[in-house]
Amino acid sequence: MRPTRIRMRRACVAAAAAGLLVTPALAGSAYGATVRVPSASAAPSPSGDTEFPQLTPAVAARLDAAIRQVMDLTKVPGVTVGLWAPGKGSYVKSFGVADKATGAPMTPDLGVRIGSETKTFTVTALLQLVDQGKLALDDPIGNYITGVPNGDRITLRELAGMRSGLYNYSEDPGFDAKITSVFTPQQLLDISFKHPVNFEPGAKFEYSNTNLILLGLLVEKITGRPLHEVIAQDVVGPAGLSERTVLARGTDFPEPHANGYTNDLPGGKIVDATHLDPSWAWAAGAMASDLQDLRSWAKTLATGTLLTPATQAERLKTQPIGIIPGDGYGLGIFNVQGWLGHNGSLPGYETLTVYLPEEQATMVVLLTTDDLYKGQEPSTLFGEAVTGIVTPGHLYPGHKPVETK
């Protein structure tokens, strides 16, 4: 069922680990004059950003070629890539189109839906309540919300760390036919809870959007405020982000934004999914943002600016997910070869936002499609192409690239 993939059913690391990877060294040579070269719009370093002059022309040219090669392979309509690495420089560039109907170019100022990156905001709101003494990570969810299977034994830590065993509602066999419907959080839980649990709490890792719906409801119950207000007032505002980073309600999100395209809706044809209501994703994936806000958020998330050091340390205690040796998932965050962050995917959009503490580097990738390329998430291919050139010692997602033909 293709639509279940877009509902963030797989772990970001699992998605990154599987499938074909692109060889940056081949970019510009393997395809030669036959490569389709999308239009590109370069953005200068942000005003006053003297810390990050642009990369050298030679390195930027290599990145241009690698990104164009991935774009040619994946047929992504539009992509924006941002990279900021102290001592190396910055790279901010958009390729392709933001609107296939008008041909309007993709530009770095356009917002997108960020899918599962929403989880990083929801879990941050939860952890702030832990810091305030209103919750404890090892509290059972059943202490706060009734009717949860194994709720007397599933802890908040296990929900945030994807180890609850609860069935992922977006895997339900009938869910794909309802993707254009409007859901309440309780309706999503009802879909999950009609299925038996998959395993005992804490037994293993399994990505489940159900976990985040429960945490969103918990945040609302403890704060007495709607989740969109909590995220705006307690997370987005204190993090210094703009009003363009928002938990979307209804079909619209802040302008200007790029249009998103998918072939994962019922019918299997490529359609414009820009104004699809994301209520089915809610606390697990309904947010929107833009390049500069995500650039800032990457470091805030990885360094724990909004949390106490002790709580941030708990967040970063990753457990293996059985895909890439040494990598793992913490509390709403992954660690892939030293890159800390999350990715997101939902109809029409994919994003990747990560921070590398060892080099204080940030990478953000924004795409206007979630369509797979040979079973592989396109955001992973772009991330691998960029890191293979700029941070080869920390290759995202950690595989040796496979040559493409």
Side-chain angles (χ1 to χ4, degrees):
M1 293 178 295
R2 290 281 288 159
T4 57
R5 179 195 67 82
I6 55 178
R7 295 182 184 94
M8 308 157 287
R9 73 173 174 86
R10 292 179 300 180
C12 47
V13 183
L20 180 68
L21 297 178
V22 176
T23 307
L26 295 180
S29 60
Y31 288 85
T34 64
V35 66
R36 175 180 58 85
V37 179
S39 61
S41 56
S45 298
S47 178
D49 191 356
T50 57
E51 180 184 2
F52 291 101
Q54 293 184 358
L55 293 170
T56 65
V59 174
R62 291 180 62 201
L63 283 175
D64 287 351
I67 292 167
R68 284 171 172 147
Q69 181 191 5
V70 176
M71 198 169 182
D72 185 61
L73 289 171
T74 60
K75 309 305 180 187
V76 170
V79 58
T80 294
V81 175
L83 178 81
W84 300 268
K88 296 180 179 179
S90 66
Y91 177 92
V92 176
K93 206 165 203 180
S94 295
F95 300 79
V97 297
D99 187 330
K100 293 169 67 173
T102 66
M106 188 72 173
T107 57
D109 64 323
L110 296 177
V112 297
R113 299 193 188 276
I114 65 173
S116 278
E117 290 196 39
T118 303
K119 293 175 171 68
T120 65
F121 291 86
T122 301
V123 173
T124 296
L126 173 81
L127 296 177
Q128 288 176 321
L129 295 175
V130 171
D131 277 340
Q132 295 165 20
K134 297 178 180 179
L135 298 169
L137 282 171
D138 294 315
D139 288 346
I141 185 62
N143 287 4
Y144 306 97
I145 297 177
T146 61
V148 180
N150 286 339
D152 60 333
R153 294 184 290 130
I154 296 173
T155 66
L156 308 186
R157 185 190 302 275
E158 288 164 342
L159 290 171
M162 300 296 179
R163 305 183 76 86
S164 72
L166 293 173
Y167 184 87
N168 185 0
Y169 66 84
S170 55
E171 292 276 15
D172 181 80
F175 198 76
D176 58 335
K178 305 173 184 176
I179 184 61
T180 58
S181 302
V182 177
F183 291 92
T184 66
Q186 186 58 54
Q187 287 173 327
L188 299 174
L189 293 182
D190 291 343
I191 293 172
S192 171
F193 296 168
K194 73 179 182 181
H195 295 272
V197 298
N198 292 332
F199 52 85
E200 286 295 296
K204 64 179 183 178
F205 174 93
E206 185 176 82
Y207 201 69
S208 176
N209 296 314
T210 304
N211 298 339
L212 270 293
I213 303 304
L214 284 168
L215 293 181
L217 288 173
L218 175 59
V219 169
E220 289 193 331
K221 183 171 185 177
I222 299 302
T223 63
R225 291 177 285 153
L227 183 62
H228 69 270
E229 289 186 8
V230 176
I231 288 178
Q233 297 169 5
D234 300 356
V235 182
V236 170
L241 308 183
S242 74
E243 294 182 352
R244 289 169 54 74
T245 298
V246 61
L247 181 64
R249 294 175 294 153
T251 60
D252 293 328
F253 62 105
E255 297 279 4
H257 60 248
N259 286 23
Y261 302 90
T262 186
N263 64 9
D264 275 330
L265 296 181
K269 297 181 180 180
I270 297 176
V271 298
D272 187 332
T274 305
H275 297 297
L276 182 70
D277 193 309
S279 62
W280 58 266
W282 193 51
M287 288 186 69
S289 188
D290 64 13
L291 179 73
Q292 289 302 329
D293 271 8
L294 291 177
R295 170 195 175 184
S296 178
W297 178 243
K299 184 175 182 180
T300 296
L301 175 67
T303 60
T305 303
L306 301 182
L307 305 173
T308 65
T311 298
Q312 178 68 2
E314 293 297 313
R315 169 172 236 166
L316 296 182
K317 288 181 179 177
T318 59
Q319 297 193 57
I321 67 169
I323 303 296
I324 305 174
D327 294 342
Y329 199 85
L331 303 182
I333 193 171
F334 66 63
N335 183 328
V336 176
Q337 301 301 312
W339 290 97
L340 301 176
H342 218 287
N343 65 355
S345 178
L346 81 170
Y349 300 94
E350 278 200 357
T351 59
L352 173 64
T353 299
V354 286
Y355 181 78
L356 181 63
E358 184 173 322
E359 298 191 20
Q360 299 180 40
T362 302
M363 178 172 62
V364 179
V365 180
L366 312 178
L367 307 179
T368 61
T369 187
D370 63 308
D371 294 347
L372 298 178
Y373 172 73
K374 295 186 177 180
Q376 176 72 348
E377 305 285 354
S379 62
T380 299
L381 297 175
F382 285 101
E384 195 269 347
V386 172
T387 57
I389 292 171
V390 182
T391 59
H394 294 277
L395 186 67
Y396 180 94
H399 282 56
K400 287 186 176 181
V402 177
E403 291 189 6
T404 58
K405 300 296 183 183

